[in-house]
Amino acid sequence: MMGDESEMNHQQQTEKFRVFNGREQFPSSNVLHTVTALLIWLGAIHFDAILVLFSLLFLPLSKALLVVGFLVACMVIPIDDQSKVGQKLSRYICKHACRYFPLTLHVEDITAFDPNQAYVFGYEPHSIKVLASTAVFYTPIVRHIWTWLGLTPATRKNFVSLLEAGYSCIIVPGGVQETFLMEHDFEIAFLKARRGFIRIAMETGRPLVPVICYGQSHVYKWWKPSGRIFLQFSRAFKFTPIFFWGILGTPLPFQQPMHVVVGKPIEFKRNPNPTVEEVNEVHSQFVEAMRDLFERHKGRLGHPDLQLKVL
């Protein structure tokens, strides 16, 4: 009887677990589409830099100023996030880019999620990718692409309004400072001092979900300066200037398999005015859930010796 119960429990856990592989989900994609999608998504900021340098070095001053003026206009002109062109472009990028690495999504318990509920997904590590850093939305062309991809500046106002409207949000709690603390031999999660997202989740009654990604830190080679001045600069501009490169020194990332693992929701009652102690309690639950999630899956997904530093 005990053997039958154990087998039944294992079968139930297997049924709850879901895996979505980019190459299996989008088998019709090919190399040309995949590389094009990646270059649009990740190469736009390089295009900005090349365009400015080319204009200043090779164009007459009047034309160079026109180019700079065009880029400045792109920084401030409002973006139509419902643009049909933008929606088609975002679908194109999502369809073909996730096949490249490939990107695989693992959901521990898909039955734990209510399609009518909004969730706060706390994603780690930050790594090279800049998920909704405020600086992105002042960068010409990049801001258009990333807005169409569904990103928005990481401000409290945006966060609360989206959750209240019933939208789930993905946030990288460590933010800019986590990027500053990156190390080559460890995954870094700057979480101990990050409680704002916990408080907002409690105030809006939205469950917290730990999410960890393996392999993301290896899709680029990178180097960053260090020191107090660099940290102050990063905080002031909400952006960490890191030198990174992929295949042959281009923005095309290395084909390093990435595995995104979604843990189980941490449920709690809505609390419009949580105390410091109540926030700390939920924060401790989230940090511990993130640690457990990382340790449970790292061996199975090919990173048995990888360590997570929670700072």
Side-chain angles (χ1 to χ4, degrees), residues 168-183:
S168 292
C169 293
I170 303 172
I171 185 170
V172 185
V176 169
Q177 190 155 346
E178 183 172 299
T179 308
F180 175 80
L181 296 168
M182 283 170 56
E183 298 181 26

Side-chain angles (χ1 to χ4, degrees), residues 257-275:
M258 292 199 299
H259 297 273
V260 178
V261 184
V262 180
K264 298 178 182 179
I266 300 171
E267 306 275 355
F268 39 77
K269 292 182 179 179
R270 182 170 184 164
N271 185 348
N273 296 292
T275 64

Side-chain angles (χ1 to χ4, degrees), residues 18 23 33 54 71 81 83 96 119 127 133-134 145 150 160 230 240-241 267 273 295 304:
R18 288 289 187 276
R23 289 181 180 170
H33 284 303
F54 177 84
L71 293 176
D81 58 1
S83 163
H96 297 288
Y119 295 87
S127 190
S133 170
T134 305
I145 295 171
V160 172
F230 173 60
T240 303
E267 306 275 355
N273 296 292
E295 294 297 330

Side-chain angles (χ1 to χ4, degrees), residues 43-58:
I45 193 167
H46 296 79
F47 174 78
D48 285 343
I50 292 170
L51 184 60
V52 170
L53 287 174
F54 177 84
S55 301
L56 296 177
L57 293 176
F58 299 105

Side-chain angles (χ1 to χ4, degrees), residues 117-121 156 159-160 163-164 171 194-209 266-286:
Q117 170 69 283
Y119 295 87
V120 176
F121 294 87
R156 177 183 175 86
F159 196 7
V160 172
L163 291 174
E164 293 286 12
I171 185 170
R194 300 301 198 190
R195 290 174 170 77
F197 75 105
I198 301 288
R199 179 176 292 277
I200 290 173
M202 295 177 70
E203 290 173 351
T204 56
R206 306 309 187 190
L208 285 159
V209 184
I266 300 171
E267 306 275 355
F268 39 77
K269 292 182 179 179
R270 182 170 184 164
N271 185 348
N273 296 292
T275 64
V276 173
E277 291 75 17
E278 289 170 334
V279 171
N280 287 344
E281 181 181 351
V282 175
H283 178 266
S284 296
Q285 292 179 34
F286 179 82

Side-chain angles (χ1 to χ4, degrees), residues 2-254:
M2 292 295 292
D4 291 341
E5 290 181 4
S6 177
E7 184 177 344
M8 185 178 298
N9 289 334
H10 176 72
Q11 184 177 355
Q12 289 175 345
Q13 292 296 323
T14 302
E15 290 174 353
K16 294 177 180 179
F17 195 87
R18 288 289 187 276
V19 178
F20 304 90
N21 182 277
R23 289 181 180 170
E24 294 176 358
Q25 294 294 315
F26 305 109
S28 61
S29 182
N30 57 44
V31 175
L32 177 61
H33 284 303
T34 300
V35 172
T36 302
L38 284 168
L39 289 176
I40 295 172
W41 174 31
L42 302 171
I45 193 167
H46 296 79
F47 174 78
D48 285 343
I50 292 170
L51 184 60
V52 170
L53 287 174
F54 177 84
S55 301
L56 296 177
L57 293 176
F58 299 105
L59 293 181
L61 181 60
S62 59
K63 292 184 178 179
L65 290 176
L66 282 176
V67 172
V68 173
F70 167 75
L71 293 176
V72 171
C74 289
M75 292 171 60
V76 296
I77 294 176
I79 303 171
D80 179 10
D81 58 1
Q82 300 300 317
S83 163
K84 290 184 178 180
V85 173
Q87 290 177 352
K88 287 182 179 179
L89 182 63
S90 66
R91 284 195 293 268
Y92 178 84
I93 292 173
C94 292
K95 175 180 178 180
H96 297 288
C98 67
R99 191 180 188 278
Y100 174 79
F101 299 99
L103 177 65
T104 304
L105 177 67
H106 307 256
V107 184
E108 278 198 327
D109 185 358
I110 200 166
T111 63
F113 292 90
D114 181 353
N116 298 313
Q117 170 69 283
Y119 295 87
V120 176
F121 294 87
Y123 181 102
E124 292 289 349
H126 190 290
S127 190
I128 298 297
K129 289 201 309 180
V130 185
L131 298 181
S133 170
T134 305
V136 168
F137 297 92
Y138 292 98
T139 308
I141 303 174
V142 178
R143 65 191 288 262
H144 292 78
I145 295 171
W146 287 45
T147 297
W148 292 330
L149 284 169
L151 282 79
T152 189
T155 64
R156 177 183 175 86
K157 180 181 178 181
N158 287 339
F159 196 7
V160 172
S161 64
L162 287 169
L163 291 174
E164 293 286 12
Y167 292 99
S168 292
C169 293
I170 303 172
I171 185 170
V172 185
V176 169
Q177 190 155 346
E178 183 172 299
T179 308
F180 175 80
L181 296 168
M182 283 170 56
E183 298 181 26
H184 284 288
D185 299 324
F186 299 90
E187 292 292 11
I188 301 295
F190 185 67
L191 288 174
K192 290 184 178 180
R194 300 301 198 190
R195 290 174 170 77
F197 75 105
I198 301 288
R199 179 176 292 277
I200 290 173
M202 295 177 70
E203 290 173 351
T204 56
R206 306 309 187 190
L208 285 159
V209 184
V211 182
I212 196 77
C213 181
Y214 303 93
Q216 178 178 295
S217 299
H218 304 290
V219 298
Y220 284 112
K221 302 292 184 182
W222 57 270
W223 177 86
K224 62 181 177 65
S226 59
R228 187 175 183 82
I229 294 177
F230 173 60
L231 176 59
Q232 291 176 342
F233 174 87
S234 300
R235 286 176 171 173
F237 290 93
K238 300 184 183 301
F239 179 74
T240 303
I242 289 182
F243 298 93
F244 65 93
W245 60 95
I247 295 175
L248 299 176
T250 70
L252 189 66
F254 297 104

